[in-house]
Amino acid sequence: MLSLIAICVLIFFVGCNSKNNKSDSENWADSLENVQKIEVISPEENPILTISDKQEVEDFVNALKIDKWEMKDVPSEAIKGKQFDLYQQKTIKFGESSKDKKELKHVASITTYNKPYLDFNLGDVRFSFKVPKEVFEYLSEYQ
């Protein structure tokens, strides 16, 4: 099931890429490399930080250790924490102007909790995961 979700997310992020022969985990990491901005939002809906430096975004994606996430429902007693909104440049389609490419588009959100769980939202689809302790601690550091 997790592999199916990863494949769907991969297709969402990178579109059709039939010439790429990398493994799914490598494709997933490559697709997140396209993220260019991350907004950290407090539970009160106020942005508290914007990450847009290429190296900082790359470090953030690497720290997520997505391959270690375990698909599980968030416990009912968990309290929502910060939200991380991920943005990337809009893909140019045939007939569109390249000037529109500079506009960043919201592509996904990660919602944290006071426990090592998170929700990963792609459009109207939400996936819940239990994450390793080090990922939980890393995401909790953002203030």
Side-chain angles (χ1 to χ4, degrees):
M1 179 79 169
L2 184 57
S3 296
L4 178 61
I5 292 169
I7 290 169
C8 291
V9 170
L10 172 67
I11 291 170
F12 177 80
F13 275 115
V14 295
C16 298
N17 189 3
S18 60
K19 293 183 181 180
N20 193 340
N21 293 324
K22 294 180 180 178
S23 71
D24 287 343
S25 62
E26 289 172 330
N27 282 337
W28 172 251
D30 288 346
S31 67
L32 285 180
E33 287 177 5
N34 294 328
V35 170
Q36 295 170 303
K37 180 174 89 170
I38 302 165
E39 285 185 345
V40 184
I41 302 170
S42 73
E44 293 82 27
E45 302 286 329
N46 297 320
I48 54 176
L49 178 66
T50 299
I51 304 167
S52 57
D53 177 75
K54 185 176 181 173
Q55 186 61 49
E56 288 179 21
V57 170
E58 185 178 320
D59 292 344
F60 179 90
V61 170
N62 290 335
L64 292 178
K65 300 181 181 186
I66 294 169
D67 58 328
K68 299 192 186 300
W69 292 5
E70 183 180 348
M71 188 172 269
K72 284 198 171 183
D73 289 334
V74 176
S76 60
E77 71 275 4
I79 300 169
K80 280 189 178 185
K82 295 176 205 80
Q83 179 173 311
F84 297 83
D85 288 340
L86 310 176
Y87 296 85
Q88 70 182 39
Q89 283 185 341
K90 183 178 175 184
T91 303
I92 297 178
K93 297 177 184 158
F94 183 72
E96 289 184 341
S97 168
S98 63
K99 68 179 179 179
D100 297 330
K101 185 176 180 181
K102 294 179 182 178
E103 180 181 328
L104 295 180
K105 177 182 174 187
H106 180 263
V107 293
S109 294
I110 298 171
T111 304
T112 62
Y113 292 87
N114 64 336
K115 297 178 181 271
Y117 291 84
L118 59 80
D119 288 331
F120 187 79
N121 297 312
L122 286 169
D124 295 333
V125 181
R126 185 184 79 196
F127 306 101
S128 297
F129 297 94
K130 181 173 184 178
V131 296
K133 181 180 178 183
E134 61 269 16
V135 174
F136 170 70
E137 291 171 351
Y138 177 80
L139 293 173
S140 297
E141 289 176 1
Y142 284 94
Q143 306 214 21

